[in-house]
């Protein structure tokens, strides 16, 4: 397994992104070689938005009939930047199970996000399997305005709806031997063909230490912009850990396990020296292929200085050695 073969093109610096015409020809070429989607490029715009796509996405969001959610607004999480436009956020996604480009919304149509259950087990006193509806009705639902920072250096600010991970953890009563929480995305290679690709350790997995999982910031989102999550954002339930690079915020979770050792995680398994387990946002620690000194807001293209822990040091700074 060579690095070239396994690295997704969407992990290329965006100023190296392939122009669409080249990308389309290349895709045809690769298809002709029978290589399917592996190694296909991405078509991105400089601002991470494209007005034609956004019109289509608006229609797409409308026809998805996303249910409005009941929640209270949590006033503790204020932003230092405007919210990202909903259509922009829904047009520019990373969800490698569906696409190696940002145009995930085009490919999620056949994915069934209902019915859905989340199995919670491992080193806990009260293992349980909960239907998504149970979670939505039983958990204390709130809206939080969070910054989101991808390791590729794009950033957005969005209103997530959901509940603290801590509130779920308390329900299952972890044993003292539980040291890590492992999250797993669905695995349906028949329905989602990219999960059938070799060389990728599907299903996507991620993990947190118990201390990180119990931190006030760690959030399970079932909605965004006041309604259920659209599929491209990780319907029906995803993790949001805003002080870490976005790849830690695993989408469409169907299993949460409490374990006693650090779990293997998707990107870390593929390229350990580029995607460390901790993955805290840090302007002083460049990724091998991107400086992390600044970030670019989706939609406006505004450049901002990256801040340690994505600006959440007061919440999580104490978790890590200085
Ligand atoms: N979860 C799964 N299952 N598969 C993925 O490819 N991509 C991650 C993360 N969660 C990913 C995932 C990355 S790299 C980022 S930046 C965020 O999802 C993007 O979330 P968004 O598309 O909702 O902005």
């Amino acid at each position: 397994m060579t690095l070239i073969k396994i690295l997704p093109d969407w992990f290329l610096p965006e100023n190296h992104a392939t122009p669409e015409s080249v990308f389309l020809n290349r895709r045809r070429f690769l298809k002709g070689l029978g290589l399917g989607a592996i190694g296909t490029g991405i078509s991105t715009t400089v601002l991470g938005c494209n007005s034609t796509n956004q019109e289509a996405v608006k229609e797409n969001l409308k026809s998805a009939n996303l249910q409005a959610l009941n929640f209270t607004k949590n006033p503790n999480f204020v932003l230092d930047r405007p919210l990202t436009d909903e259509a922009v956020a829904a047009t520019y996604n990373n969800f490698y199970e569906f696409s190696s480009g940002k145009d995930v919304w085009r490919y999620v149509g056949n994915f069934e996000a209902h019915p859905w259950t989340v199995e919670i087990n491992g080193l806990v006193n009260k293992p349980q399997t909960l239907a998504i509806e149970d979670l939505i009705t039983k958990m204390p639902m709130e809206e939080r305005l969070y910054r989101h920072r991808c390791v590729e250096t794009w950033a957005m600010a969005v209103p997530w709806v959901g509940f603290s991970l801590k509130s779920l953890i308390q329900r299952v009563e972890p044993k003292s031997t539980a040291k890590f929480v492992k999250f797993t995305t669905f695995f349906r290679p028949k329905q989602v063909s990219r999960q059938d690709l070799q060389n990728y350790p599907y299903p996507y997995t991620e993990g947190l230490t118990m201390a990180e999982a119990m931190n006030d910031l760690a959030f399970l989102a079932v909605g965004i912009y006041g309604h259920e999550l659209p599929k491209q954002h990780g319907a029906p339930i995803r993790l949001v850990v805003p002080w870490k690079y976005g790849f830690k915020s695993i989408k469409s979770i169907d299993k949460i396990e409490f374990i006693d050792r650090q779990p293997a995680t998707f990107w870390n398994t593929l390229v350990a020296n580029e995607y460390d387990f901790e993955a805290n946002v840090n302007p002083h620690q460049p990724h091998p292929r991107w400086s992390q000194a600044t970030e670019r807001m989706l939609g406006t293209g505004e450049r901002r200085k990256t801040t340690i822990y994505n600006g959440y040091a007061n919440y999580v700074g104490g978790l890590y050695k200085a």
Side-chain angles (χ1 to χ4, degrees), residues 19-44:
E20 189 156 39
S21 56
V22 177
F23 147 69
L24 289 173
N25 284 334
R26 188 161 157 242
R27 177 174 269 183
R28 268 177 225 124
F29 173 70
L30 288 168
K31 235 182 176 170
L33 288 180
L35 290 179
I38 289 187
T40 55
I42 56 170
S43 87
T44 53

Side-chain angles (χ1 to χ4, degrees), residues 93-215:
N93 300 96
N94 281 337
F95 204 164
Y96 206 56
E97 286 86 338
F98 294 98
S99 172
S100 58
K102 302 300 183 217
D103 55 345
V104 176
W105 63 276
R106 293 182 195 278
Y107 303 103
V108 289
N110 291 333
F111 174 62
E112 286 161 15
H114 292 280
W116 194 277
T117 53
V118 183
E119 196 185 328
I120 311 166
N121 60 26
L123 300 170
V124 293
N125 291 323
K126 294 187 174 167
Q128 41 200 288
T129 298
L130 293 163
I132 190 71
E133 294 75 15
D134 285 342
L135 284 165
I136 291 177
T137 49
K138 288 186 184 145
M139 301 308 290
M141 296 278 282
E142 50 176 295
E143 181 182 70
R144 295 186 181 188
L145 312 184
Y146 272 176
R147 295 182 285 274
H148 174 99
R149 172 65 153 75
C150 180
V151 70
E152 298 164 316
T153 76
W154 57 265
M156 61 179 185
V158 294
W160 299 109
V161 179
F163 48 89
S164 67
L165 176 57
K166 179 158 76 175
S167 61
L168 185 65
I169 292 178
Q170 283 162 343
R171 282 178 69 105
V172 297
E173 296 179 8
K175 298 182 176 169
S176 60
T177 44
K179 302 288 179 231
F180 289 87
V181 189
K182 176 183 174 185
F183 303 85
T184 307
T185 293
F186 66 85
F187 185 54
R188 300 183 192 164
K190 287 201 177 112
Q191 187 179 88
V192 179
S193 61
R194 284 184 55 87
Q195 283 197 322
D196 216 8
L197 297 178
Q198 290 179 0
N199 293 340
Y200 294 90
Y202 286 120
Y204 196 105
T205 46
E206 258 307 336
L208 298 173
T209 64
M210 276 301 288
E212 289 173 331
M214 290 297 285
N215 188 272

Side-chain angles (χ1 to χ4, degrees), residues 64-83:
N65 238 335
L66 299 163
Q67 248 182 32
L69 296 166
N70 288 323
F71 53 84
T72 54
K73 286 176 188 278
N74 187 326
N76 296 332
F77 300 102
V78 286
L79 293 172
D80 58 348
R81 57 196 71 186
L83 275 181

